[in-house]
Amino acid sequence: MPAPSIRATPQASRLLFPALADFYARGRVASYVLVRLAFGSTIMTHGLPKLTGSAHGSMADPMAGSVRLIENVLGLPFAPQLALFVALLETFGGLAVAIGFATRLFAPMLAIQMAAICVALGPTYPWIDRGIEYPIILGVVALLIAMHGAVAWSVDTGLGREL
């Protein structure tokens, strides 16, 4: 089965500058891979500080902040265990997506996590100042990656298999 690719639909609009068609065609897959790398790397930067106990942004202890959010805002049981799961998902799931390994497994999990963050923080965070626009766009990108898979320049492609 050939690797999936991002292609225009047969009803695609005509280009205003047709000479750019080759440029766009060559850049389509490369730009998607760049999105996958950037997304995975960004997610990783949120998991690593939780696992290493290092400060992240305005949070002196991001793992404790995650536990408080899960316990006090979401009201879920097993907050320390769930926070550890989130930290592992962000760190290793983010790395996996970045390198294109099991993207169709990890990307939907990350999309669900971003949706949960939006639900949890939406009522208390305004749109702009520490708002939910960041998890919204990350969730949409995770959904895009889940639908397209690793595509190219990835471990999944090298293995010739994906979910």
Side-chain angles (χ1 to χ4, degrees):
M1 175 181 237
S5 64
I6 301 171
R7 294 197 173 108
T9 60
Q11 292 83 18
S13 61
R14 292 187 344 220
L15 291 174
L16 185 59
F17 300 105
L20 292 173
D22 288 339
F23 171 76
Y24 293 140
R26 285 193 308 268
R28 187 170 280 126
V29 171
S31 62
Y32 174 79
V33 171
L34 184 61
V35 166
R36 193 191 74 224
L37 285 166
F39 170 80
S41 300
T42 299
I43 293 294
M44 256 181 58
T45 67
H46 290 273
L48 276 173
K50 291 177 182 116
L51 293 179
T52 61
S54 55
H56 178 65
S58 63
M59 296 179 81
D61 185 351
M63 183 61 94
S66 291
V67 171
R68 280 192 301 276
L69 174 72
I70 292 167
E71 191 171 56
N72 300 333
V73 176
L74 296 175
L76 297 174
F78 309 109
Q81 294 82 1
L82 286 172
L84 178 60
F85 174 75
V86 165
L88 291 169
L89 174 62
E90 289 174 344
T91 302
F92 298 106
L95 175 63
V97 169
I99 65 173
F101 177 70
T103 54
R104 292 186 195 265
L105 171 67
F106 290 112
M109 293 169 71
L110 290 163
I112 291 167
Q113 178 194 354
M114 292 302 126
I117 289 170
C118 289
V119 167
L121 301 180
T124 60
Y125 276 28
W127 181 255
I128 304 243
D129 185 26
R130 291 192 61 185
I132 63 169
E133 68 273 8
Y134 187 67
I136 286 172
I137 194 66
L138 288 176
V140 170
V141 170
L143 182 61
L144 172 83
I145 293 168
M147 294 296 109
H148 289 282
V151 177
W153 301 314
S154 66
V155 174
D156 287 348
T157 302
L159 295 173
R161 293 203 176 245
E162 62 180 323
L163 297 176

